[in-house]
Amino acid sequence: MKKAVLLILCMISSTLFAQKPCEYSANVTDSIGTYKSTKEYMIYEKNFAGNTNYIFYSLALTDGTPTLNINFIQKSKEFLKANCFDKNSKLFLQLNNGKIITLLHIDQENCGTLIRDEKGFNNRILTGTFMFMKGSFEDLKSAPVNLMRIKYLTDIEDYVIKKEFQSELDNKVYQPETYFVNYLHCIE
């Protein structure tokens, strides 16, 4: 019996200490309302044949409403296809325990911005804001994410979420699989 109690205490304490400290890029309260946003965190990177893709997450709390902000950055010398968000866009997160969490895009159409840099690269930047469905927090805090599917206006794309990777962009080690386990508490 003592071993069982000790095991339970160890599991609870490891869960509590697994959460990372919150770092905010914005934390504002004024006469209009409150806004709090975590720093961006890279969850996906792909470099292949001169094409580079990055995906960053940040969590935001606007007047008590939690959202997930997602930023896509694409870089290539070739033509970059535009993916657009609209009111029907969705983000699906498949958890390691088999559950699928759905987030809904806000009612705002966005196809991103195309910028050509001085080296001749095309850069497309797309930003989306997704709302959490009721009851999804507990599932996201309890299990890692292994797949992200995004339903754009005209396309659907899947992204495999790695347990850990070292970014070629900034040489930092990221653990995207446990992003929500580690940081969701920052906007509760």
Side-chain angles (χ1 to χ4, degrees), residues 2-114:
K2 288 182 182 180
K3 289 182 182 180
V5 171
L6 184 60
L7 180 65
I8 291 170
L9 285 174
C10 286
M11 288 173 50
I12 291 171
S13 65
S14 68
T15 302
L16 292 175
F17 294 117
Q19 295 178 341
K20 305 283 186 194
C22 300
E23 294 183 47
Y24 297 102
S25 62
N27 192 355
V28 179
T29 300
D30 60 16
S31 61
I32 299 172
T34 60
Y35 179 77
K36 185 186 295 190
S37 177
T38 61
K39 288 188 175 183
E40 288 190 337
Y41 190 89
M42 187 183 304
I43 59 116
Y44 181 83
E45 178 182 59
K46 183 172 106 178
N47 296 309
F48 183 74
N51 299 319
T52 307
N53 294 301
Y54 303 104
I55 301 175
F56 295 89
Y57 279 171
S58 67
L59 295 165
L61 188 65
T62 308
D63 295 328
T65 303
T67 55
L68 174 67
N69 296 325
I70 186 166
N71 290 319
F72 295 84
I73 300 173
Q74 296 174 286
K75 186 173 186 170
S76 176
K77 290 217 177 205
E78 306 297 320
F79 174 77
L80 291 171
K81 177 180 92 168
N83 283 324
C84 301
F85 291 126
D86 72 341
K87 64 181 180 180
N88 297 316
S89 295
K90 294 181 179 142
L91 186 141
F92 303 97
L93 300 168
Q94 181 177 318
L95 307 181
N96 282 354
N97 63 11
K99 290 186 179 180
I100 296 177
I101 305 298
T102 303
L103 285 78
L104 303 174
H105 190 261
I106 61 172
D107 190 7
Q108 181 180 18
E109 194 168 304
N110 182 3
C111 294
T113 305
L114 185 64

Side-chain angles (χ1 to χ4, degrees), residues 77-166:
K77 290 217 177 205
E78 306 297 320
F79 174 77
L80 291 171
K81 177 180 92 168
N83 283 324
C84 301
F85 291 126
D86 72 341
K87 64 181 180 180
N88 297 316
S89 295
K90 294 181 179 142
L91 186 141
F92 303 97
L93 300 168
Q94 181 177 318
L95 307 181
N96 282 354
N97 63 11
K99 290 186 179 180
I100 296 177
I101 305 298
T102 303
L103 285 78
L104 303 174
H105 190 261
I106 61 172
D107 190 7
Q108 181 180 18
E109 194 168 304
N110 182 3
C111 294
T113 305
L114 185 64
I115 303 167
R116 190 163 176 87
D117 66 19
E118 66 280 349
K119 295 180 182 176
F121 282 93
N122 294 316
N123 298 280
R124 181 168 299 280
I125 301 168
L126 174 64
T127 302
T129 302
F130 291 85
M131 297 179 291
F132 293 93
M133 302 288 287
K134 196 170 206 160
S136 61
F137 265 46
E138 290 309 313
D139 289 329
L140 285 169
K141 288 191 307 187
S142 66
V145 175
N146 60 28
L147 184 72
M148 175 177 69
R149 173 174 282 174
I150 298 179
K151 180 189 175 296
Y152 296 102
L153 176 64
T154 59
D155 198 7
I156 294 175
E157 286 195 29
D158 291 338
Y159 302 91
V160 175
I161 305 299
K162 296 179 180 177
K163 183 175 183 153
E164 182 176 285
F165 69 91
Q166 183 168 1

